[in-house]
Amino acid sequence: MIELQAEQADDRWEVEALYDLCFAPGREALSSYRLRNGVPPVAGLSQVARDSDGILAAAIRFWPVLIGDAPALLLGPVAVHPTRQGEGLGGSLIRDSLAKAEESGWARVMLVGDAPYYRRFGFTRLEGVEMPPPTNPDRVLGLALQDAAWDGIRGQVTRWQG
């Protein structure tokens, strides 16, 4: 049995250790991390998945960003412990947290990732939305949580202010 719950402050180091395990060294040098630096993840949307023994199986985080003056959520990272991969935990975290984001009034979500994987959740390539370099524009994906949320949204993605 896996329980999804909001990430708490006490989860931080355990979640960071999971990300270190699942991602290549130097992950914090990626452009997405420059947007996250000094900005806390969005409370309630950033979640952990724990088994019945309380062991961390997966985690997802969301960060507020700006595109011009339009707010958006930046999804990521999402990671599943190697011993729990293939169980659908990543997908469960993504679907659950996207539903919570929509309920919370967020209009749009973006990420940098593999289109074939994220397409199943409704993400498509964003035109005219520029992540800081070096980011492959083909990997910049978005999802509208409200009708027409991406209409007219163009420009550089910048760190959240406020």
Side-chain angles (χ1 to χ4, degrees), residues 87-112:
E87 297 178 17
L89 294 177
S92 292
L93 279 172
I94 292 168
R95 281 187 290 280
D96 188 70
S97 58
L98 289 174
K100 285 178 176 18
E102 185 175 9
E103 291 168 9
S104 298
W106 287 92
R108 63 193 66 82
V109 181
M110 64 171 300
L111 59 84
V112 177

Side-chain angles (χ1 to χ4, degrees), residues 42 45 62-75 97-98 101-102 104-111 123 126 129 141-154 157 160:
V42 178
L45 301 183
F62 286 83
W63 310 82
V65 294
L66 293 170
I67 305 159
D69 60 356
L73 285 172
L74 177 62
L75 186 161
S97 58
L98 289 174
E102 185 175 9
S104 298
W106 287 92
R108 63 193 66 82
V109 181
M110 64 171 300
L111 59 84
F123 285 86
L126 291 175
V129 174
L141 310 175
L143 172 70
L145 298 176
Q146 297 176 8
D147 289 340
W150 284 104
D151 290 0
I153 305 296
R154 302 279 183 272
V157 180
W160 183 258

Side-chain angles (χ1 to χ4, degrees), residues 29-45:
L30 299 172
S31 60
S32 295
Y33 278 86
R34 292 197 302 274
L35 297 170
R36 298 172 185 145
N37 190 25
V39 178
V42 178
L45 301 183

Side-chain angles (χ1 to χ4, degrees):
M1 169 102 173
I2 296 290
E3 181 181 352
L4 305 183
Q5 53 192 310
E7 181 182 342
Q8 303 298 310
D10 290 347
D11 296 322
R12 182 175 189 268
W13 296 112
E14 196 174 5
V15 170
E16 287 297 324
L18 175 65
Y19 290 152
D20 286 343
L21 176 66
C22 293
F23 298 109
R27 67 181 168 89
E28 293 174 345
L30 299 172
S31 60
S32 295
Y33 278 86
R34 292 197 302 274
L35 297 170
R36 298 172 185 145
N37 190 25
V39 178
V42 178
L45 301 183
S46 299
Q47 297 187 74
V48 295
R50 293 189 179 277
D51 68 16
S52 57
D53 293 323
I55 297 171
L56 182 67
I60 189 170
R61 285 184 174 157
F62 286 83
W63 310 82
V65 294
L66 293 170
I67 305 159
D69 60 356
L73 285 172
L74 177 62
L75 186 161
V78 58
V80 177
H81 193 280
T83 62
R84 303 307 298 254
Q85 290 179 1
E87 297 178 17
L89 294 177
S92 292
L93 279 172
I94 292 168
R95 281 187 290 280
D96 188 70
S97 58
L98 289 174
K100 285 178 176 18
E102 185 175 9
E103 291 168 9
S104 298
W106 287 92
R108 63 193 66 82
V109 181
M110 64 171 300
L111 59 84
V112 177
D114 297 321
Y117 177 79
Y118 287 101
R119 189 175 299 125
R120 73 183 85 182
F121 305 105
F123 285 86
T124 59
R125 186 172 185 271
L126 291 175
E127 297 289 337
V129 174
E130 302 169 23
M131 285 289 289
T135 302
N136 179 344
D138 291 335
R139 294 176 53 81
V140 179
L141 310 175
L143 172 70
L145 298 176
Q146 297 176 8
D147 289 340
W150 284 104
D151 290 0
I153 305 296
R154 302 279 183 272
Q156 285 279 50
V157 180
T158 58
R159 187 175 312 146
W160 183 258
Q161 303 297 318

